[in-house]
């Protein structure tokens, strides 16, 4: 019985890892849609198609992992740290699913942005870098049970919040100075989605902390 449980627990780790890696790819694809502008129409269409493919794959993986967690809870009845691991995985995949959705939303915003020749990037590049790093760390923290890495993710959120304020201020100044208002608003939405992805990464990290220590901050 324990051997079967260990096999299914390893399967859980592997499936969460794969889902997390697809979240990373999704955000990286979104960054291409925004930062590599201007694209040709064909190039942008391919990037957007990739973003939507990742979103669909992540949705499918969420359903698969949810079913696996329920089977583990009902049939194996885990206790102590094993129960916390399964509970954490069951909860954090919601945040991963939202990361996939928001990465796709960012890529879709590139439809107008990629046609612009204006220098709109400002600090958005740094924001993408920080957020992608947070997602990578959050996934690795769960897969490897790394408490320190989880705390790093939680701390890194302050950097993203600060960068978001800088980006928002710069975009507001562009509008005030008669720049492309529609472009600035689209970029503000990109920044807001990135801030939300960072928040979801923090949620994942907090579930890792719970898995390891039994403590969870609401």
């Amino acid at each position: 019985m324990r051997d079967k449980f260990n096999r299914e627990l390893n399967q859980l780790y592997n499936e969460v890892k794969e889902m997390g890696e697809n979240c990373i790819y999704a955000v990286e694809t979104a960054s291409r849609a925004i930062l590599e502008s201007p694209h040709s129409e064909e190039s942008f269409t391919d990037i957007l198609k990739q973003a939507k493919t990742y979103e669909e794959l992540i949705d499918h993986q969420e359903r698969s992992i949810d079913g696996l967690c329920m089977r583990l809870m009902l049939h194996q009845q885990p206790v102590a740290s094993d129960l916390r691991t399964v509970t954490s995985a069951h909860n954090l995949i919601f945040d991963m699913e939202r990361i996939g959705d928001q990465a796709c939303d960012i890529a879709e915003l590139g439809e107008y942005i990629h046609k612009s020749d204006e220098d709109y990037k400002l600090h958005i590049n740094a924001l993408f870098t920080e957020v992608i790093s947070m997602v990578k760390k959050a996934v690795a923290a769960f897969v490897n049970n790394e408490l320190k890495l989880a705390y790093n993710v939680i701390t890194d959120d302050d950097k993203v919040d600060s960068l978001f304020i800088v980006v928002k201020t710069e975009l507001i100044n562009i509008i005030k100075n008669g720049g492309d208002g529609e472009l600035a608003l689209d970029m503000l939405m990109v920044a807001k989605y990135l801030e939300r992805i960072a928040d979801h990464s923090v949620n994942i990290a907090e579930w890792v902390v719970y898995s390891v220590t039994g403590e969870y901050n609401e």
Side-chain angles (χ1 to χ4, degrees):
M1 181 69 73
R2 182 67 197 185
D3 287 344
K4 181 180 179 181
F5 175 77
N6 286 337
R7 286 196 301 272
E8 291 184 336
L9 195 61
N10 286 334
Q11 180 185 350
L12 177 63
Y13 274 111
N14 288 333
E15 290 195 18
V16 171
K17 179 182 179 182
E18 289 177 8
M19 185 177 179
E21 288 173 345
N22 284 323
C23 287
I24 295 166
Y25 298 146
V27 182
E28 290 176 339
T29 301
S31 75
R32 290 174 56 210
I34 303 302
L35 299 177
E36 294 181 5
S37 303
H39 298 286
S40 67
E41 287 302 319
E42 182 179 1
S43 174
F44 177 75
T45 299
D46 288 342
I47 291 173
L48 186 56
K49 187 182 297 184
Q50 288 176 23
K52 291 180 177 179
T53 297
Y54 282 125
E55 180 189 25
E56 292 171 358
L57 180 56
I58 290 166
D59 286 346
H60 172 76
Q61 289 174 314
E62 183 196 24
R63 293 190 293 272
S64 174
I65 295 170
D66 180 68
L68 177 56
C69 287
M70 294 305 296
R71 290 197 303 275
L72 281 165
M73 289 180 181
L74 293 174
H75 298 157
Q76 303 295 340
Q77 297 180 337
V79 296
S81 62
D82 290 336
L83 176 60
R84 294 199 304 270
T85 295
V86 177
T87 301
S88 297
H90 188 249
N91 283 280
L92 65 81
I93 57 172
F94 166 78
D95 289 289
M96 288 187 175
E97 189 273 337
R98 295 303 299 145
I99 288 173
D101 287 348
Q102 287 157 2
C104 189
D105 290 337
I106 291 172
E108 289 175 346
L109 284 167
E111 184 170 4
Y112 175 73
I113 292 169
H114 90 277
K115 298 175 183 177
S116 173
D117 292 326
E118 289 193 34
D119 183 13
Y120 58 82
K121 295 175 184 177
L122 308 170
H123 286 82
I124 205 78
N125 196 335
L127 194 54
F128 266 110
T129 299
E130 288 293 340
V131 169
I132 291 171
S133 175
M134 286 180 69
V135 177
K136 288 179 177 179
K137 289 180 182 179
V139 173
F142 176 80
V143 172
N144 300 311
N145 284 318
E146 289 192 33
L147 191 59
K148 182 178 180 180
L149 201 55
Y151 284 131
N152 284 343
V153 174
I154 296 169
T155 302
D156 286 348
D157 192 47
D158 291 337
K159 299 177 188 176
V160 170
D161 289 342
S162 296
L163 278 170
F164 174 77
I165 292 171
V166 171
V167 170
K168 182 172 70 172
T169 301
E170 289 178 332
L171 292 171
I172 289 172
N173 288 334
I174 286 175
I175 296 173
K176 285 182 178 178
N177 294 328
D180 189 332
E182 185 176 355
L183 178 64
L185 288 174
D186 280 350
M187 291 304 300
L188 184 58
M189 284 299 299
V190 169
K192 189 61 183 177
Y193 280 130
L194 287 171
E195 184 190 39
R196 290 176 182 172
I197 291 172
D199 289 341
H200 288 300
S201 299
V202 169
N203 290 345
I204 293 169
E206 288 176 341
W207 281 115
V208 174
V209 173
Y210 168 76
S211 176
V212 176
T213 69
E215 299 175 0
Y216 182 78
N217 294 322
E218 294 289 344

